[in-house]
Amino acid sequence: MTTFLTALPPLEPYGLGTPHVESLSHYLLRLADICELPISALSKMIYRPLADKYTGTTLNLRSALDGNAPSSIERIEVLEMLTGNPRLRFASFWALSSAVGMTSFQRIYDFRRCPRCISDPDPSANYEQLIWSVPLYTSCILHDVDLEVNCIHCGCHQLSSMSLARKRICNNCRKPLGHHGAHNVASPVDRWANQTLGGVVEWCSTEGQAFRVPLDWFSIFLESVDQSYSPQ
């Protein structure tokens, strides 16, 4: 059996094959913590091979890894090469990158979260989930509580932190963001949307099922929807 040495350990993302797959930006924070390296050092390792192609870019992890722009997909491929783990793409919207633009589909700068998920003391349960970045996803399908973006203590709007140690405390008052949460009272349509988005993310995160959806497939779908609602 051949063993290949890699620049970074082949850490597995949490929740692969489920709607609750870990976001790659949070994965990179865990990787930095395990390697005892500053997150800026790992970011530069990902950006350096593409420096000539993408000049003047910032080191925002969420826009670099959690989106599905061509630049994000290429950075995911670099991270897969550095870790020797080809499954990292399944912790992203890689499968939809050819068909759906995620710029308006995701909210990559806000720290939207389920307060009950992040209050779990188990690191394999309190991580940041990829699905939380989708604004249409309004409540946790695991705990049936509303997702939050503000601190329950001081009301401060929470932006995504680049520190694993500070991920679950308020940017302003430094109090824990985790708590029991407010029971969701969503409409049947919202519940259907949450469950559907969960199914989409589960498919995207499942190796052996997810594949890059061709643009023409999505165009055919949109044309069918348009014809269904057009006046006869």
Side-chain angles (χ1 to χ4, degrees), residues 28-174:
L28 199 65
L29 292 178
R30 283 202 300 123
L31 195 61
D33 185 63
I34 289 173
C35 296
E36 298 184 348
L37 291 172
I39 191 62
S40 58
L42 291 192
S43 299
K44 289 176 182 177
M45 291 176 69
I46 296 171
Y47 274 71
R48 191 175 295 120
L50 303 171
D52 293 338
K53 189 170 184 179
Y54 300 106
T55 58
T57 55
T58 63
L59 292 178
N60 183 279
L61 292 182
R62 301 194 75 184
S63 60
L65 294 175
D66 292 344
N68 74 338
S71 59
S72 299
I73 300 305
E74 291 184 26
R75 287 168 184 140
I76 291 170
E77 292 171 352
V78 170
L79 186 57
E80 289 182 335
M81 177 189 66
L82 290 171
T83 60
N85 188 342
R87 293 175 294 279
L88 299 187
R89 64 190 62 190
F90 301 114
S92 74
F93 287 111
W94 166 84
L96 303 179
S97 59
S98 297
V100 183
M102 305 298 288
T103 303
S104 58
F105 187 63
Q106 285 180 289
R107 186 172 296 164
I108 58 176
Y109 297 105
D110 297 335
F111 182 34
R112 302 177 71 248
R113 72 269 170 200
C114 167
R116 194 176 300 182
C117 283
I118 65 169
S119 66
D120 195 310
D122 184 357
S124 66
N126 64 22
Y127 56 85
E128 183 175 6
Q129 300 177 19
L130 177 65
I131 198 171
W132 293 349
S133 67
V134 182
L136 290 175
Y137 185 73
T138 57
S139 63
C140 177
I141 57 176
L142 184 62
H143 296 119
D144 199 28
V145 299
D146 292 331
L147 266 61
E148 298 177 348
V149 72
N150 295 330
C151 173
I152 193 174
H153 304 287
C154 69
C156 179
H157 186 91
Q158 300 298 300
L159 299 178
S160 183
S161 172
M162 291 181 63
S163 167
L164 188 63
R166 296 173 55 182
K167 196 72 176 177
R168 286 170 285 280
I169 62 174
C170 176
N171 297 329
N172 180 54
C173 70
R174 299 292 186 261

